[in-house]
């Protein structure tokens, strides 16, 4: 499947300089930043060193030259890295960005001075020059990302980590601005919680592609038993987890046909993520679950949400983009005894297997199976999520206020036991009560997306700096704010 999430990140690189400073650091900065990007597997777009004086942008003519070059590579460039080995020419840098009009994230770096090298021939003054460039960005209305410290060395490990984080931010922003989300089937009727606004999604660049469940049922039913793709899918399904002995071959075959039909529809429609009507029409009219279908797609970084939770699918996709890891959709479901900062997050069985951490069991839906018969409900991925760090995120469309909104935070999965069937995750979230109160009072859904690892800083930067959605970052440090005193 062709996916944006697997697309290699490409960054435009700019070395900014002021002509009367020493040219030597410009060449070093160019070589060092390009070496850092190569190490990270990130492609770079930059003019040859000889294209401008010192291989840098230090005049309007240089800015125009670079702007044209970047425009020619518009479809490739995910972000810009602007390095200031010295004070830099603020107007040239601002005009380059303004003329290129790429509308991509920007990382602004400034180099360290050495205490013993501040004579007229060696000084850099990039510490000060960064403010001048940033001030012009404010005037031009250009958002940008900061490095960890105000100045750093282009060849250093700290800047290497900043570049790696920035590449994730760029992948996240581009992915969300261009996402195509498949919605298969009607919203599960009892869950008005899953209502959402397609128009608000479209305003942020995300398109929803719909299909009636009957269309997919017809596609699955029409797959011939001798279809070679079906044979491959069947082999993959059997190897994906442990299937109990009482499950019949016909049940597994039916599940493989459904999975193949969904996969083909996703690929034909160029979807990056999907949401599926998972109960109960599929079980009644075709005779299987769709959990393992969603699980296997999630494992391939094609997130899929149950109960036609389209915004949940976008939330999963955002985490997958930021982390490069499979994301899952869970319910905030149970308290954990009297532990104030622990809760249990569950779902029937849609977690990607690496999200669980162990080889899962592929069995029947438990709750629905008790109601309509387990023979119709094969395809649930069961297992307990292993301990480790996690990040959670939930996006929602706020129709009353005409905007997207979201919350974000980090916590940990624990080893605590919990005797419930399905997919189980015992989570520890600092100040959980504060978070749950926020979720309740701000009309968020009971579904939440989670991913293994801590990537809240990446997603927060993407949302705050470039996507512009209102966000609550639980446990995050608030952005510094101006204080305007009342004057008489």
């Amino acid at each position: 499947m062709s996916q944006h999430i697997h697309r290699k990140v490409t960054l435009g690189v700019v070395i900014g300089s002021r002509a009367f400073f020493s040219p030597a650091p410009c060449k070093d900065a160019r070589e060092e930043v390009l070496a850092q990007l190569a190490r990270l597997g990130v492609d770079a777009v930059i003019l040859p060193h000889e294209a401008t004086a010192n291989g840098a942008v230090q005049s309007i003519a240089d800015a125009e030259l670079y702007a044209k070059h970047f425009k020619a590579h518009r479809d490739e460039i995910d972000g810009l890295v602007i390095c200031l080995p010295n004070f830099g020419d603020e107007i040239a840098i601002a005009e380059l960005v303004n003329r290129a009009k790429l509308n991509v994230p920007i990382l602004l770096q400034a180099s360290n001075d050495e205490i013993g090298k501040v004579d007229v021939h060696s000084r850099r003054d990039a510490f000060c020059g960064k403010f001048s460039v940033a001030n012009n960005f404010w005037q031009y209305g250009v958002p940008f990302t900061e490095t960890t410290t105000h100045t750093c060395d282009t060849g250093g490990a700290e800047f290497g980590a900043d570049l790696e984080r920035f590449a994730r931010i760029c992948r996240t922003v581009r992915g969300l601005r261009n996402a195509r989300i498949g919605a298969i089937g009607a919203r599960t009727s009892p869950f008005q919680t899953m209502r959402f606004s397609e128009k608000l999604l479209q305003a942020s660049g995300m398109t929803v592609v719909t299909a009636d469940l009957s269309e997919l049922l017809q596609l699955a039913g029409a797959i011939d038993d001798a279809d070679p793709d079906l044979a491959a899918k069947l082999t993959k399904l059997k190897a994906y987890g442990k299937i109990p002995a009482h499950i019949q071959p016909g049940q597994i075959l039916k599940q493989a046909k459904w999975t193949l039909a969904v996969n083909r529809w996703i690929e034909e429609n160029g979807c990056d993520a999907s949401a599926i009507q998972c109960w109960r029409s599929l079980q009644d009219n075709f005779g299987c679950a769709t959990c393992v279908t969603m699980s296997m797609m999630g494992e391939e970084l094609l997130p899929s949400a149950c109960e036609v939770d389209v915004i949940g699918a976008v939330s999963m996709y955002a985490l997958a983009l930021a982390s490069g890891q499979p994301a899952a959709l869970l319910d905030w479901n149970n308290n954990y005894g009297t532990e104030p900062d622990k809760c249990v997050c569950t779902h029937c069985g849609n977690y990607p297997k690496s999200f669980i951490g162990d080889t899962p069991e592929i069995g029947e839906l438990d709750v629905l199976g008790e109601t309509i018969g387990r023979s119709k409900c094969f395809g649930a991925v069961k297992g307990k999520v292993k301990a480790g760090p996690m990040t959670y995120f939930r996006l929602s469309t706020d129709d009353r206020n005409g905007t997207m909104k979201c919350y974000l935070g980090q916590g940990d999965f624990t080893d605590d036991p919990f005797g419930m069937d399905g997919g189980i995750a015992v989570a520890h979230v600092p100040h959980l009560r504060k978070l749950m109160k926020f979720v309740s009072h701000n009309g968020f859904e009971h579904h939440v997306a989670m991913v293994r690892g801590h990537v809240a800083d990446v997603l927060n930067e993407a949302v705050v700096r470039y996507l512009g959605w209102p966000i609550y970052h639980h446990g995050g440090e608030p952005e510094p704010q101006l204080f305007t005193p009342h004057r008489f």
Side-chain angles (χ1 to χ4, degrees), residues 89-153:
D89 190 297
E90 63 199 68
I91 298 175
I93 295 297
E95 279 298 315
L96 185 164
V97 172
N98 188 51
R99 295 180 187 203
K101 289 182 169 58
L102 299 179
N103 190 30
V104 295
I106 294 171
L107 179 64
L108 181 60
Q109 180 271 349
S111 293
N112 286 319
D113 266 310
E114 298 177 56
I115 292 177
K117 295 183 179 180
V118 289
D119 58 275
V120 69
H121 299 294
S122 305
R123 60 190 290 181
R124 294 172 180 261
D125 293 4
F127 191 103
C128 184
K130 187 175 185 178
F131 292 122
S132 294
V133 173
N135 175 270
N136 276 265
F137 281 170
W138 181 268
Q139 293 182 50
Y140 283 70
V142 175
F144 67 94
T145 292
E146 273 278 15
T147 47
T148 300
T149 52
H150 186 66
T151 56
C152 58
D153 297 326

Side-chain angles (χ1 to χ4, degrees), residues 260-314:
L260 180 58
V262 171
N263 291 167
R264 284 173 171 173
W265 186 89
I266 293 290
E267 186 164 7
E268 287 168 7
N269 287 277
C271 295
D272 301 292
S274 61
I276 302 176
Q277 182 185 345
C278 59
W279 62 277
R280 56 177 270 185
S281 179
L282 177 61
Q283 290 77 23
D284 287 336
N285 293 299
F286 194 71
C288 72
T290 191
C291 301
V292 69
T293 305
M294 295 188 288
S295 174
M296 293 172 75
M297 289 194 294
E299 190 66 22
E300 296 174 0
L301 302 183
L302 271 172
S304 189
C306 49
E307 294 162 346
V308 204
D309 184 1
V310 169
I311 309 300
V314 177

Side-chain angles (χ1 to χ4, degrees), residues 177-194:
R177 281 178 174 171
N178 297 277
R180 288 173 61 83
I181 312 299
I184 299 174
R187 171 178 59 80
T188 307
S189 186
F191 283 1
Q192 290 189 168
T193 308
M194 297 303 112

